Amino acid sequence: MYFQALQIVSFIIYAAVLLYVLKILRRKSPFRSEPNNTPVSLSVIVPFKNEASNLPALLNSICELKNPNFDVEFIFVNDHSEDDFLDLFSSDLNFPYSIIESNGNGKKEALQTGIEKAKGNYIATTDADCVLPSNWLVDINDAEKNDMLIGPVVVSNHDGSFLSDFQYFESIVLLGLSKSTIKINKPISASGANLIFSKKAFQDVGGYDAHTHQKSGDDYFLLNDFYAKGYSISWLDNASPVYTQPVNSVKKLIRQKTRWVRKTKGKMPFHTVILGAVILLVNFTVVVSTLGVIVGYLPSVFLIANLLKAFIDVLYIQSVSKNEGLFFCFRKAFLSGLIYPFYFATVSVLSLFRGSDW
């Protein structure tokens, strides 16, 4: 009886949170007849390690970027790669770039090295396994020049596999949560695959110095440092997403997400703790009720909880997808929703024990 009451309450709160998120996402951004022409120079930092298989797609997308009305440079920071990445850079590339060696080990050190060399007064970061939309620089130019701009990132599902579809829909869930919480000035996450910030503000918060002991989490910790210092943070509105490559095995996906969860441990804003607790509670009640039915402790009617949770998630994903102009498939999203609580529980438990890497 107590568990049933807990499950009902958790579902009501969870549904209410998602409805509130969708309400925020539907708010229209103020219309600007003229783009913001504040003088900007931009340095795009791309840290990489053994990414020779992914760099060609990124380089091709950079070549196809529309020219912005500001100075831009691309800095590729090599973190001790052991592949033949240099063969990919040639005189055929039509953008200004430099390749430098990281002064340390790990992604934060690579980013720090690139930012120290950067000439721009704004920094943009992306990853070597990403594909940039052709209007990426134009979108940055047209945006309000706040201290930090957080752009949309979506996992590509172009290979048609269920694993990539699962990651794609998960990224849409996170996109909606990130965008909505930023709009109410309660940011919970940012992705280094599409992150723009003031170099001056970065230096003022101490860069990554306070978190060098954490191998991962450059984007998450920087967001929290900007927020704690009161710097302005906004969403890159009306922008096409940066696409990142899906991992190609369940083992790699679990390892990646475990690393991401571990980076959130420690001091977190109160609103992040509350939202995380709601998501944790509703997913674990689904897992417990399903296992309870399997072992015969609970009646089979409790399996409805999993179906209901998946249906709620599908409606949310459908709404976010429509709002952002992204692909949606009910069947694939529903299957992903059925599996998600068990995936979430697995990652949560493993994050208590596993370490992290680059």
Side-chain angles (χ1 to χ4, degrees):
M1 179 65 71
Y2 291 112
F3 177 76
Q4 186 177 20
L6 175 64
Q7 190 169 58
I8 292 172
V9 170
S10 67
F11 270 59
I12 292 174
I13 296 174
Y14 181 72
V17 168
L18 294 187
L19 285 173
Y20 181 59
V21 167
L22 294 177
K23 180 181 178 181
I24 296 170
L25 292 178
R26 291 192 181 101
R27 293 177 184 172
K28 297 295 184 181
S29 299
F31 175 77
R32 293 196 310 274
S33 59
E34 295 293 336
N36 185 335
N37 290 319
T38 304
V40 165
S41 56
L42 183 72
S43 296
V44 182
I45 313 298
V46 185
F48 67 94
K49 181 175 184 178
N50 298 326
E51 294 281 4
S53 61
N54 290 318
L55 277 168
L58 173 64
L59 295 175
N60 288 337
S61 70
I62 295 175
C63 288
E64 295 175 0
L65 290 175
K66 295 178 181 177
N67 292 326
N69 294 322
F70 56 80
D71 295 329
V72 61
E73 64 172 345
F74 289 83
I75 302 176
F76 295 84
V77 188
N78 174 37
D79 183 26
H80 312 289
S81 296
E82 298 175 349
D83 54 19
D84 297 324
F85 71 90
L86 280 175
D87 296 340
L88 304 173
F89 293 86
S90 68
S91 57
D92 295 334
L93 298 177
N94 63 353
F95 57 88
Y97 73 89
S98 59
I99 304 172
I100 62 175
E101 298 295 321
S102 175
N103 291 331
N105 291 289
K107 189 175 181 181
K108 288 193 187 73
E109 293 290 349
L111 285 167
Q112 187 75 45
T113 301
I115 293 171
E116 289 173 358
K117 298 288 185 181
K119 299 175 183 177
N121 55 7
Y122 271 79
I123 304 295
T125 65
T126 192
D127 294 330
D129 64 345
C130 289
V131 173
L132 307 178
S134 61
N135 57 340
W136 187 57
L137 294 176
V138 175
D139 289 336
I140 294 173
N141 182 55
D142 289 351
E144 295 288 349
K145 301 306 183 293
N146 290 317
D147 299 305
M148 177 177 281
L149 288 168
I150 300 172
V153 177
V154 174
V155 176
S156 172
N157 66 334
H158 292 161
D159 67 6
S161 69
F162 175 74
L163 184 60
S164 64
D165 285 334
F166 181 85
Q167 295 171 72
Y168 169 77
F169 290 121
E170 182 188 24
S171 68
I172 291 178
V173 171
L174 183 58
L175 188 158
L177 291 174
S178 298
K179 182 176 180 178
S180 61
T181 53
I182 289 167
K183 283 181 173 291
I184 60 172
N185 196 32
K186 299 291 182 182
I188 62 167
S189 68
S191 172
N194 195 2
L195 187 62
I196 304 97
F197 50 87
S198 160
K199 184 176 181 180
K200 181 179 179 181
F202 174 84
Q203 293 169 335
D204 182 56
V205 301
Y208 304 114
D209 291 346
H211 311 289
T212 52
H213 61 288
Q214 294 275 4
K215 293 183 180 180
S216 183
D218 51 280
D219 41 20
Y220 175 78
F221 292 123
L222 190 62
L223 169 65
N224 285 341
D225 288 343
F226 270 56
Y227 181 75
K229 279 268 191 174
Y231 280 110
S232 58
I233 301 170
S234 63
W235 185 260
L236 192 60
D237 259 327
N238 304 314
S240 300
V242 168
Y243 280 89
T244 186
Q245 295 301 313
V247 298
N248 56 13
S249 73
V250 174
K251 182 179 179 180
K252 289 180 180 179
L253 176 61
I254 296 295
R255 184 177 181 182
Q256 179 193 71
K257 298 304 179 182
T258 299
R259 185 177 72 244
W260 290 6
V261 171
R262 284 183 62 85
K263 74 184 180 184
T264 63
K265 292 181 178 180
K267 187 176 181 180
M268 291 187 291
F270 181 71
H271 59 270
T272 303
V273 175
I274 294 299
L275 181 59
V278 170
I279 296 173
L280 181 70
L281 180 61
V282 74
N283 280 290
F284 267 92
T285 58
V286 168
V287 172
V288 171
S289 63
T290 303
L291 294 178
V293 171
I294 292 174
V295 300
Y297 181 75
L298 294 173
S300 57
V301 69
F302 274 85
L303 290 177
I304 295 176
N306 197 357
L307 297 175
L308 179 59
K309 164 68 165 52
F311 187 69
I312 292 173
D313 287 345
V314 167
L315 294 180
Y316 167 77
I317 292 170
Q318 182 182 36
S319 185
V320 175
S321 300
K322 182 179 180 180
N323 189 70
E324 301 297 319
L326 298 171
F327 165 80
F328 173 78
C329 173
F330 184 93
R331 177 178 58 84
K332 293 180 178 180
F334 189 74
L335 287 174
S336 297
L338 289 175
I339 295 172
Y340 187 81
F342 305 94
Y343 156 80
F344 182 90
T346 301
V347 169
S348 299
V349 172
L350 290 178
S351 68
L352 300 174
F353 306 102
R354 291 192 174 184
S356 61
D357 52 26
W358 213 98

